[in-house]
Amino acid sequence: MRKLAILTFMTLDGVMQAPKMPEEDRSGGFTGGGWADPYWDEVMQLVGREAMSAPYDVLFGRNTYDTFSAHAREDHPMHHFKKYVVTSNPDTMNWNNSTAITGDIALEIARLKQQKGPLLQVHGSHALIQLLLEHDLADELRLWIFPVLLGSGKRLFANGTHPEKFQLQKTDHTHNGVIMGLYRRNT
């Protein structure tokens, strides 16, 4: 059985919407996009060491998949990874090694977790994360907390999150104030 880890960047007040680019996700009238950009280079070094060095497959929501694939080239770190994409429009996926997940999403992801393979790691994908938390499918939380308050935006832990206890496995920080916390579900 493979584990599923949620990897996300969030503000001190829990907002995870549009960390890198202002135009990344303006849904709900959100105008605070790009809040992580001043911290990006240092954070990505830590992310690379702590969350992307071991083999893994990626699980994306469709909007996040489209954002990543728009910048994909042969030398993109995820180009050769296996990518699972929750989508209602699988015919428009063209990034290397992409597989659509349709139908009963929670059931299909639970089945995917039962297969042999490396860790499944979710990047971004707010709606998908809410579904995973609601259906108790997350085994790990890999959180990067930025010293920023936004006051509004899509939050990591929304209504419907299934109550669960996680244990801190590792913590670290960047010199520019971003805190990393790696948590594993209590078993």
Side-chain angles (χ1 to χ4, degrees), residues 12-49:
L12 288 170
D13 55 345
V15 175
M16 62 175 286
Q17 188 171 357
K20 179 62 176 146
M21 301 171 290
E23 68 280 359
E24 188 176 342
D25 179 2
R26 294 185 185 269
S27 64
F30 186 68
T31 59
W35 49 266
D37 196 49
Y39 308 90
W40 200 258
D41 291 340
E42 195 173 342
V43 166
M44 291 312 293
Q45 291 175 22
L46 183 58
V47 171
R49 282 192 314 271

Side-chain angles (χ1 to χ4, degrees), residues 50-107:
E50 298 296 340
M52 298 179 133
S53 58
Y56 65 94
D57 291 342
V58 184
L59 179 59
F60 282 124
R62 184 55 193 252
N63 291 338
T64 304
Y65 171 84
D66 287 344
T67 299
F68 275 74
S69 66
H71 302 284
R73 299 178 318 271
E74 288 267 342
D75 64 345
H76 190 282
M78 290 185 193
H79 184 70
H80 298 289
F81 290 15
K82 180 79 173 171
K83 293 167 279 295
Y84 296 95
V85 184
V86 175
T87 183
S88 59
N89 196 0
D91 298 333
T92 60
M93 294 179 4
N94 55 11
W95 195 7
N96 188 46
N97 292 329
S98 297
T99 301
I101 296 178
T102 60
D104 184 336
I105 304 305
L107 179 62

Side-chain angles (χ1 to χ4, degrees), residues 130 132-137 158-166 185:
Q130 300 315 302
L132 295 170
L133 293 172
E134 180 181 346
H135 291 276
D136 200 22
L137 291 168
N159 292 336
T161 298
H162 181 78
E164 187 61 58
K165 292 185 179 180
F166 285 79
R185 174 196 299 276

Side-chain angles (χ1 to χ4, degrees), residues 118-153:
L119 176 75
L120 288 167
Q121 189 161 257
V122 179
H123 290 235
S125 307
H126 181 265
L128 172 58
I129 289 172
Q130 300 315 302
L131 179 128
L132 295 170
L133 293 172
E134 180 181 346
H135 291 276
D136 200 22
L137 291 168
D139 301 298
E140 295 181 16
L141 301 173
R142 298 173 172 199
L143 308 178
W144 277 262
I145 304 165
F146 290 70
V148 175
L149 293 173
L150 293 177
S152 66

